[in-house]
Amino acid sequence: MASQVLVAANRGPLSYALAADGTLSARRGGGGLVSGLSAALAAQPEALWICAALSDADREAVRRGVSEPGVRILDIDPAVYDDAYNGIANSVLWFTHHHLYDVPREPVFDAAFRRRWESYAAYNQAFAEALAEEAAEGASVLVQDYHLALVPGALRELRPDLRIAHFTHTPWASREFLDMLPDDIRSRLVWGMLGADLVGFHTWAWAHTFMAGAHLDDERGIAEPKSPAGVDPAEARYVHKNPNSPVRHKRTNVGVFALGVDGDDLRALAHRPEVDDKLAALRAEVGDRKTIVRVDRTELSKNILRGLLAYRELLTAHPEWRGRVMHLASAYPSRQDLKVYRDYTASVRDLATEINAEFGTEDWQPVLLSVEDDFARSLAAYRMADVALINPVRDGMNLVAKEIPVVSEEGCALVLSTGAGAYEELRGDALTVNPYDVSATAAALHEALSMPPEERTARTKRLAAAATTLPPAAWFTAQLEALRG
Ligand code: G6P
């Protein structure tokens, strides 16, 4: 049966693992996109989620017909997929949007890049064709993220009747970084995005960089959001006279939908017996010391190394904290097919080991680093957080910044980077830092650890309220309404 609501994302709700005896097991993928969309789609039982097979185990699941209801996994040729996902989406577009290039050496746009780009286009085309096949007349299609930037344009050509939205979970590159891309590639990206009726971002900052880079003509001047959550796409309507606009399509609305968390769901998850067990184990290690908690994928943009350097500087500048604080850092593996990510993960481990060797004593380990994907342990760490450290160099939203204040038992002080999308909503009650300034981050950690309990509680209450303004289900329906309205 054709679907009325469709979502397209590279990653599906579950990914599979194949054991030596041939059994398949499934687990939830990491990252904000999956947690937000999974929660949102729980309230949309009729919706269809189209995603890619990410591994041989996923491909095996497709072959055996094992998948969740409401999910269609596309079995794309592994070589094409590898070029599209690792070669372009994660090595070029992610780096461009997060400003991660080491400019004396990268990027290099050569013949090999062109071949990978063809794979990226083919992979986007496969999504567009699957969506065209599954969508009912006039259906709403919500395309997710930089992996699928060409899908709205391609789908518009196949099915002009559909309502198409694109949502970007990352930042959008500033003009200088976008302009590094070869001209024809940049135009193609903009062409893809402007195939959508609605283009959504987490913050006004990213929406504005998009509009500047896409050369959108604004008929009414830059519209500012009415509320900090800014869920009023009608406030920002952009008619584009851009020559890149796909034929037949004359208008794209740009909206801001700041994804938040569902407080009740999250607290329920954080109080499962499995999490209680992890909490008991962590408490036994931490004792009555204070905790600084961070939870990230081992992701270059998360700035884990400078976070550790700041912690080291805290222990040097404020020796009174030695033996009285522990840094619980969860940095679970991500994108390990890319050498730069493997190297980064190794550097994180090395630096944590160095800090432990420098300051550790027989009964005190300064950093407890976990490089496993252990969601229950992360939730346990959230519950016992005195300080949350969120210091990305650039981040679309960063849901962890919203989750920790909601779950922390004693209230936590939030040290928050100006580069996180969450900064737009949470800055009033966070201790905000320039992510490159290690000394300022160390000073903020000291201030956070020293914050009087009443102030900490009051700030945490307001942070939790801001964090839950637009929970996933409402975030999703706001986009559907904007698309249909
Ligand atoms: C970010 C991206 C998501 C992605 C997630 C995890 O949140 O915006 O699209 O799914 O990272 O990355 P991965 O490469 O493992 O899907």
Side-chain angles (χ1 to χ4, degrees), residues 269-292:
L269 270 180
H271 286 86
R272 285 168 306 155
E274 194 192 345
V275 180
D276 291 337
D277 293 347
K278 300 272 179 183
L279 182 65
L282 276 178
R283 278 211 209 286
E285 282 194 78
V286 172
D288 58 1
R289 300 183 182 93
K290 295 217 178 222
T291 57
I292 299 173

Side-chain angles (χ1 to χ4, degrees), residues 69-303:
V71 177
R72 175 170 165 195
I73 307 178
L74 303 181
D75 183 357
I76 291 163
D77 176 84
V80 171
Y81 181 72
D82 181 54
D83 279 348
Y85 173 71
N86 287 311
I88 299 295
N90 288 341
S91 297
V92 176
L93 299 178
W94 182 272
F95 274 60
T96 303
H97 288 319
H98 292 84
H99 301 177
L100 292 175
Y101 282 125
D102 176 13
V103 170
R105 292 184 180 77
E106 336 160 270
V108 174
F109 297 123
D110 56 4
F113 161 77
R114 291 277 162 185
R115 281 193 298 274
R116 289 193 285 270
W117 178 262
E118 287 313 313
S119 293
Y120 178 80
Y123 151 89
N124 272 253
Q125 189 65 30
F127 268 85
E129 283 167 13
L131 288 163
E133 196 182 302
E134 301 279 1
E137 177 77 23
S140 301
V141 180
L142 290 89
V143 180
Q144 311 296 308
D145 244 349
Y146 57 99
H147 312 87
L148 303 179
L150 304 182
V151 167
L155 183 57
R156 173 79 47 206
E157 289 190 340
L158 295 169
R159 289 286 304 271
D161 60 300
L162 299 179
R163 297 165 197 260
I164 307 172
H166 185 283
F167 191 87
T168 294
H169 294 259
T170 66
W172 190 263
S174 73
R175 189 72 184 271
E176 291 73 14
F177 277 79
L178 205 63
D179 283 353
M180 287 178 177
L181 295 172
D183 291 352
D184 60 318
I185 302 287
R186 190 184 56 243
S187 299
R188 194 70 187 160
L189 270 187
V190 173
W191 168 88
M193 296 289 287
L194 294 186
D197 300 287
L198 174 68
V199 170
F201 295 91
H202 284 307
T203 71
W204 287 94
W206 313 142
H208 287 158
T209 51
F210 171 75
M211 290 182 286
H215 310 279
L216 294 191
D217 293 326
D218 171 20
E219 278 194 328
R220 303 190 300 174
I222 295 288
E224 288 300 335
K226 277 187 189 146
S227 68
V231 195
D232 193 354
E235 287 298 296
R237 269 205 181 145
Y238 294 86
V239 174
H240 50 81
K241 301 164 187 117
N242 188 310
N244 290 318
S245 171
V247 209
R248 290 190 296 266
H249 193 65
K250 293 282 181 282
R251 178 149 129 175
T252 296
N253 295 341
V254 177
V256 172
F257 305 86
L259 177 62
V261 300
D262 184 316
D264 293 339
D265 275 7
L266 187 63
R267 278 186 289 263
L269 270 180
H271 286 86
R272 285 168 306 155
E274 194 192 345
V275 180
D276 291 337
D277 293 347
K278 300 272 179 183
L279 182 65
L282 276 178
R283 278 211 209 286
E285 282 194 78
V286 172
D288 58 1
R289 300 183 182 93
K290 295 217 178 222
T291 57
I292 299 173
V293 172
R294 75 173 305 142
V295 174
D296 308 276
R297 295 181 294 109
T298 47
E299 164 53 56
L300 314 179
S301 61
K302 303 290 181 186
N303 207 21

Side-chain angles (χ1 to χ4, degrees), residues 383-413:
R383 281 172 61 180
M384 62 194 294
D386 294 301
V387 175
L389 174 58
I390 313 286
N391 67 324
V393 291
R394 200 172 158 86
D395 205 341
M397 170 52 79
N398 198 306
L399 281 180
V400 177
K402 293 186 166 181
E403 289 168 350
I404 299 185
V406 169
V407 172
S408 76
E409 291 181 351
E410 304 282 323
C412 69

